[in-house]
């Protein structure tokens, strides 16, 4: 996934309030997401492109490992492009809705090994 981004790109997960910088950190985020959420996926309902910005509306879904139920919440993604690569990615969704739908308390954090 990191190859889609510029070398100094940023990815901000607004749901958890964390920003990753560079291809290595962004790829690491993707690996951690896949490790903690089964069947994680984004369904795109609408996308638009204007100049160097792509706006995506969709549904972020999956099953947090250890949670009683799955989640499916609205998602908005803003992608800013430079020379055909992603320079900035921002994902907007409600973490509270993810936890509520998953049957987890609002202050839940993943177990550490």
């Amino acid at each position: 996934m990191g190859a889609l981004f510029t070398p100094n790109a940023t990815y901000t997960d607004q749901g958890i309030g964390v920003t990753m910088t560079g291809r290595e950190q962004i790829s690491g985020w993707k690996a951690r997401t896949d490790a903690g959420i089964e069947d994680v996926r984004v369904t795109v309902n609408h996308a638009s492109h204007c100049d160097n910005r792509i706006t995506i509306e969709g549904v972020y879904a999956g099953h947090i490992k250890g949670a009683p139920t799955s989640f499916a919440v609205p998602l908005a993604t803003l992608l800013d492009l430079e020379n055909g690569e992603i320079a900035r990615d921002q994902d907007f969704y409600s973490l509270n809705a993810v936890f509520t739908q998953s049957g987890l308390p609002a202050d839940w954090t993943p177990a550490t090994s």
Side-chain angles (χ1 to χ4, degrees):
M1 182 170 140
L4 300 172
F5 292 82
T6 63
N8 295 317
T10 59
Y11 166 78
T12 302
D13 182 328
Q14 298 288 353
I16 61 173
V18 174
T19 297
M20 281 63 68
T21 302
R23 291 175 176 157
E24 186 175 326
Q25 285 186 10
I26 293 167
S27 294
W29 160 84
K30 175 67 171 137
R32 287 187 302 279
T33 298
D34 290 344
I37 303 175
E38 298 169 333
D39 194 27
V40 64
R41 65 199 175 282
V42 171
T43 302
V44 175
N45 294 331
H46 177 78
S48 61
H49 181 246
C50 182
D51 298 324
N52 289 321
R53 162 88 32 107
I54 297 172
T55 304
I56 300 166
E57 297 174 43
V59 176
Y60 173 44
H63 186 263
I64 298 172
K65 291 183 180 175
T69 58
S70 298
F71 66 89
V73 299
L75 168 78
T77 297
L78 302 178
L79 302 175
D80 293 320
L81 307 178
E82 287 180 8
N83 300 319
E85 294 179 315
I86 302 167
R88 186 171 71 156
D89 179 334
Q90 296 184 82
D91 285 351
F92 297 86
Y93 63 93
S94 169
L95 184 61
N96 185 54
V98 169
F99 287 169
T100 298
Q101 289 183 19
S102 296
L104 296 169
D107 62 349
W108 180 85
T109 57
T112 57
S113 305

